[in-house]
Amino acid sequence: MTNRRPTFELKAAESSAIKETIERAKHAEREGHWAEACAIYEQLVRDPAAHANTRLAALRWLGRAYLEQGNRGAALDVLEAAVASADRAGSPPAVAQALNVIGIVYQMGGDLDQAATIYQAARDKAELAGDGALIAMIDQNLGTVAIIRGDLRAALEAFRLSQLGYQTLGMRNHEAQVLNNMALAYMELGQLEDAEAAYDLAARGFEQEGDRARRLDLSVNMVQLYIAGRRYDEALAQCEELLALQTDDVPQWRGEVFRHVGVIARERADFGKASDYLLRAERHAVDVGDLLLRADVAEQLAELYWAQKRHREMLQSLNESHSLYSQLKAQHRVAQVEKRNGALEARFLEMAKQWGDSIESKDRYTQGHCERVAFFSCVLADSAGFNSRSLFWFRIGALLHDIGKIIVPTDVLNKPGKLTDEEWAIMKRHPEAGLELVADIDFPGDIRAIIRNHHERWDGTGYPDRLAGEGIPLAARILCVADVYDALTTTRSYRAGMTHARAAEIMRGSAGQFDPHLLDIFLDWAETADIPGRSTPQRLAIFASSVDS
C-alpha cells in the first residue's frame, strides 16, 4: 500500500527559476530518486528568493522524501517544523497538509490509531480551508488505514470518496493512485476481476502523467494479482522485467519482487530457486527495516519447508513469523495480524501433529499417544489457571514432548519385554535429544521444559536433571501426570490397557512420582469424564480434536 505526497499550487508570483527547481525535484520523485529530491528541497527551504509559501511546501516535501528513504526520525523533525511554521504564518491549508504527511509517517510506522487521529485533524482543517484536493488525499489515507485493519468495505468507501474528489478536480495522477489502492482492497476481498480493472485504469493514468515510480509500484502489485489467479507465467515475466531495471537507488519494492519469485518457484516445486529468492527477500527486508515484509517472508519460508517436510526449519520460520507479527500487533496492525496469526497457529498445530505422528509411526503401541497426552495435559493446565495463549503453546509442547524418541531404534521402542541396561540408557536420552532438536528455536512459554523435564519425579529421582518438587517446571509436572495416565490406560504388547480405577490406584500408590495436588485434580476429573467421548468445556473444545486417534 503506497500513500501519496500532497500537491501544492505554485503562486503566479513565483520566479521561473524557482518553478524550474521544483519541477526538477518532482521529476526526481517520479523517477524514484529520493536522495536527489531531498537535496533540491533542502536547497529550496533555504532559498531567500522563494516565496514563503513555497518554502513551507518544500518543508513538507522534504519530510515526505526523507520518509521514502526510510528515515522516519528526520521526516518527523522536518514535518513538525512545517506545522509550527505554517501555524505562525497563519496558513490553515499548510497546517493541514503538513499534518497529513505526519499521519503518513505514523501509518508507515504501524501506529494506526495515531495516524487516524492525525488524518482526521488534518481533514477538519482542510474542510475549513475548502481544500478539495487535500480532502480527497486524506480520504485516500483513511482508506489505507481501514484496509490495514481489515475493514475492507470501509476502505472501499473512503477510496471512492477520494476518487470522486480527484475526478471532480481533474487530478488524473492522484485518481490513478486511489485506483491502485482500490485494487488492493478488491484483491483482499477475492474480487480479482474488479482488481484487474482498477489496476488497468490506474496504469493508464500513470502512463499519461509520466509517473514512472508509481507505475513501477503498480507493476509489483500486479504480480500479486497474477499469483492470486495462478497466472504464474505472467507473474514471473513481470518480476523479471522489474528486476532487470537499472536504478540509482535500491527501490523499496525490490524485496517484494524477490518474495514473489520465491513463491512462484515454490508453487512450481522448484524448491532450490524458491529458497534462494525468499532468502534474498529476507536480506532486503532486514536491510531496509521492513518488519512486515520480514514477517511475510518468514511465513513463506515456513510453507516452503512444509512442502519439503523439513520440520525443524519450518518450526524456526513459523516461530520467527509469529514473533514478528506479534510485534506488528503491538503497533496496532490488528485485523491483518490476527488473521495471519490464526493461520500460523493452525499450521503450528498441523506441523506438531505430523511430527508427533512420525515418532509414533516407529512405535506401533503408542498410536495417538501425543494427541491424547496433549488433551489430558491441557485439561489439567486449564484447571491450573493457564490462559488461552499459554494453553496454545502448552499444547504445542505436549504434542512434541517425545520428539527425542527419533533417536531410539525401532526395535527398542517396540520391545515387548524389559529393556537391557544399554537399551534403557538410550531410551533415557530422548528428553535431551528432543531438546537438541529444537535448540535453536526460540519457543515462547515452557515448551523446552516440557520436552526436557517430563520424566522428572516429585521426589527427585527422575531424569535427566533429577529435579525435585516445585523445582520441576509446572508445565513438566502437568505433562508427567498426563503422560503416565495415558501410558497406563493404553493397550501395549505386553498388557491390556487399564481401567481408570486401576490406573488411579497405581498412580496414587507411586509415592514420590507426581505433584500430589496436580494428581488429585486430574484423577478427580478423569473419574467423571466420559473418555474418549468426553464432554469438553467450551474453551477447551480445540483440544478434543482427534483425541480418540
Side-chain angles (χ1 to χ4, degrees), residues 163-271:
Q163 182 191 13
L164 180 60
Y166 285 137
Q167 277 181 340
T168 302
L169 295 167
M171 300 175 70
R172 180 68 176 129
N173 183 272
H174 289 72
E175 183 188 352
Q177 294 163 18
V178 177
L179 285 164
N180 185 22
N181 287 344
M182 288 175 72
L184 289 172
Y186 283 130
M187 280 186 60
E188 288 289 326
L189 288 166
Q191 298 172 214
L192 300 188
E193 290 184 3
D194 290 333
E196 187 161 13
Y199 277 140
D200 287 342
L201 287 172
R204 287 201 289 273
F206 290 139
E207 289 292 346
Q208 290 170 9
E209 296 295 317
D211 193 335
R212 181 172 181 268
R214 305 307 177 197
R215 180 67 181 86
L216 291 175
D217 286 340
L218 187 144
S219 295
V220 178
N221 292 340
M222 287 290 287
V223 175
Q224 190 173 337
L225 174 68
Y226 295 148
I227 291 174
R230 305 184 69 82
R231 295 156 60 182
Y232 295 136
D233 288 340
E234 292 170 86
L236 189 58
Q238 188 111 310
C239 287
E240 289 170 349
E241 185 179 322
L242 286 162
L243 292 176
L245 292 172
Q246 300 297 317
T247 59
D248 295 336
D249 302 320
V250 177
Q252 286 284 111
W253 46 257
R254 194 170 181 83
E256 293 183 46
V257 178
F258 287 147
R259 179 196 62 198
H260 289 326
V261 175
V263 169
I264 295 165
R266 186 191 66 215
E267 293 303 305
R268 289 177 160 176
D270 187 347
F271 297 142

Side-chain angles (χ1 to χ4, degrees), residues 394-409:
F394 182 87
R395 187 187 185 202
I396 295 293
L399 288 168
L400 296 177
H401 76 278
D402 268 342
I403 58 171
K405 285 187 176 178
I406 286 173
I407 69 159
V408 181

Side-chain angles (χ1 to χ4, degrees), residues 46-79:
R46 296 190 296 268
D47 191 339
H51 192 280
N53 284 345
T54 300
R55 293 200 299 275
L56 276 178
L59 269 176
R60 296 195 302 274
W61 296 332
L62 178 58
R64 182 64 175 140
Y66 278 137
L67 183 59
E68 288 287 347
Q69 290 182 297
N71 192 342
R72 293 185 183 127
L76 272 177
D77 288 344
V78 168
L79 290 165

